[in-house]
Amino acid sequence: MRAEPNLPPEALAAIRAPFLATGAEPVDAPILQPLALILELAGEAMRARLFVVQAEGGQETCLRPDFTVPVVRQHLDSGKLAGRYVYEGKAFRASPDADRPEEFRQIGLERFDDAAAPVAPADAEIAALAWTAALAGGRDDLSLWLGDIALFAAFIDDQGLAPSLAARLKRVAARPRLLAAELARAGAEPETQADSGKLAGLLSGLSEAEAATVLEEVWALAGIDPVGGRGPAAIAQRLIRRAQAASAPALTLEQADSITRFLAVDDAPQAAFAAIRAVAGAKAPALDGALSDWTQRLDLLAQAGVPLERTRFATALGHAFDYYDGLTFEVRSAALHPDRAVAVGGRYDGLPARLGGAPGARAVGCMVRPWRAWTGGES
């Protein structure tokens, strides 16, 4: 495993300082995380980037690829409605690139609020924290890239799509490969059950529990012992969604073109918002509502010291995990490839509920890669 080099202590301390100044509660997270849960949240494509660990007869686990999920689980276990947690430690992701570290340090903060907490101030605080910590590494070529998954959801709501199609598009909004597949299917006729797979078609008519039972029976009859971290319920759900996607109405070519133009917007924030409104057309109440908080976010970022002339808004900005459902952001260095962000973060209000928490809670966080932030680090 290729490990990231250590930073000089003074450089690491400078990058860490903005996080410590928040007064957040320090937390750690187990290095081993449940594989099935990570795959559910990140998608099957993430499997190739995970280091899988399994004791004989035990549950499949993986070395933690990120801190957000385990910190959310710890927050839920605490029973608190609100909390701020700061962490620092190693994360692990496999890479085919010989020059990319697979063991690397992250410093981050996760913030949890109750349902009544305003979103924009928290978003701006976390994005400004990531910017400040990244800047402390000494680079003078940083820029803050902004996005918003909620804008895509609002744009879809204004398109008048069939509810099942709209829900599917929102579900794959943060997964570029799956979204591209939906756009490529534009104009196609729905498949029959035979085309989409008889087993998947059969399962789609059952409840999740019934589908899992049927799948287990099929495995038993075939003498199959499934491996890979996912249980029958998760696999059945995946097959059901695949069958439903294949048999549901596809986008029209005109709708696909509108979505493609929306996802192509990439400009300074105010110019980007104008371009988004132009694509959406005159009647876009959901989108107008989603855009309303952005003036406040930008004002608060400026007040926190983020130079707005070094910000950019890209509608297609997303991350490896698909639990983000609002603001997304990256701090990038001009000296590094865009896929090697110095810091990333965003809002994930729906994740705590997916992990068993009460619906309606607020959650937003960020993470900085100190080695990339340091002016003497990755190049």
Side-chain angles (χ1 to χ4, degrees), residues 25 71-83 85 112-114 356-358 361:
E25 178 183 344
V71 172
V72 172
R73 295 173 72 192
Q74 289 186 33
H75 171 68
L76 295 177
D77 289 343
S78 75
K80 300 175 184 177
L81 291 178
Y85 308 93
F112 303 93
D113 297 294
D114 62 34

Side-chain angles (χ1 to χ4, degrees), residues 226-247:
V227 295
R230 289 184 181 242
I235 294 173
Q237 186 180 57
R238 184 179 178 86
L239 289 172
I240 289 169
R241 285 182 176 178
R242 183 177 298 174
Q244 290 174 340
S247 60

Side-chain angles (χ1 to χ4, degrees), residues 74-334:
Q74 289 186 33
H75 171 68
L76 295 177
D77 289 343
S78 75
K80 300 175 184 177
L81 291 178
R84 297 185 184 203
Y85 308 93
V86 63
Y87 60 82
E88 178 176 348
K90 297 294 185 69
F92 308 84
R93 294 187 199 175
S95 174
D97 298 336
D99 66 335
R100 181 167 298 201
E102 297 174 311
E103 175 186 325
F104 48 87
R105 183 180 299 274
Q106 293 184 340
I107 303 177
L109 184 141
E110 309 297 336
R111 170 177 171 167
F112 303 93
D113 297 294
D114 62 34
V119 169
D123 286 352
E125 178 195 17
I126 295 299
L129 172 62
W131 173 265
T132 302
L135 201 63
R139 292 188 182 272
D140 59 3
D141 62 349
L142 299 181
S143 57
L144 177 62
W145 288 66
L146 302 164
D148 191 348
I149 302 297
L151 284 186
F152 180 81
F155 179 79
I156 293 300
D157 285 339
D158 288 329
Q159 299 304 298
L161 304 177
S164 60
L165 177 57
R168 191 165 68 255
L169 288 168
K170 293 177 187 179
R171 192 165 56 242
V172 301
R175 295 187 179 180
R177 182 177 59 84
L178 297 180
L179 184 55
E182 285 292 340
L183 295 173
R185 204 168 68 91
E189 292 294 327
E191 295 181 4
T192 64
Q193 178 174 312
D195 294 330
S196 60
K198 290 184 179 180
L199 177 59
L202 172 64
L203 295 178
S204 66
L206 305 175
S207 69
E208 183 175 313
E210 292 170 334
T213 299
V214 169
L215 196 56
E216 286 183 303
E217 291 176 353
V218 171
W219 286 343
L221 289 171
I224 296 173
D225 185 15
V227 295
R230 289 184 181 242
I235 294 173
Q237 186 180 57
R238 184 179 178 86
L239 289 172
I240 289 169
R241 285 182 176 178
R242 183 177 298 174
Q244 290 174 340
S247 60
L251 291 163
T252 66
L253 294 175
E254 182 180 4
Q255 290 166 342
D257 178 67
S258 293
I259 294 172
T260 299
R261 287 187 289 119
F262 174 89
L263 293 172
V265 173
D266 179 344
D267 209 330
Q270 295 298 348
F273 300 150
I276 289 169
R277 286 191 170 94
V279 174
K283 295 182 179 179
L287 188 64
D288 288 341
L291 282 170
S292 62
D293 281 342
W294 270 101
T295 297
Q296 185 183 12
R297 283 192 187 96
L298 293 174
D299 287 345
L300 290 170
L301 284 172
Q303 292 172 26
V306 178
L308 295 187
E309 67 273 12
R310 293 169 72 176
T311 63
R312 197 166 184 90
F313 192 94
T315 50
L317 186 69
H319 303 318
F321 295 90
D322 78 340
Y323 46 68
Y324 291 98
D325 48 26
L327 166 80
T328 58
F329 62 84
E330 295 181 357
V331 179
R332 297 180 182 178
S333 165

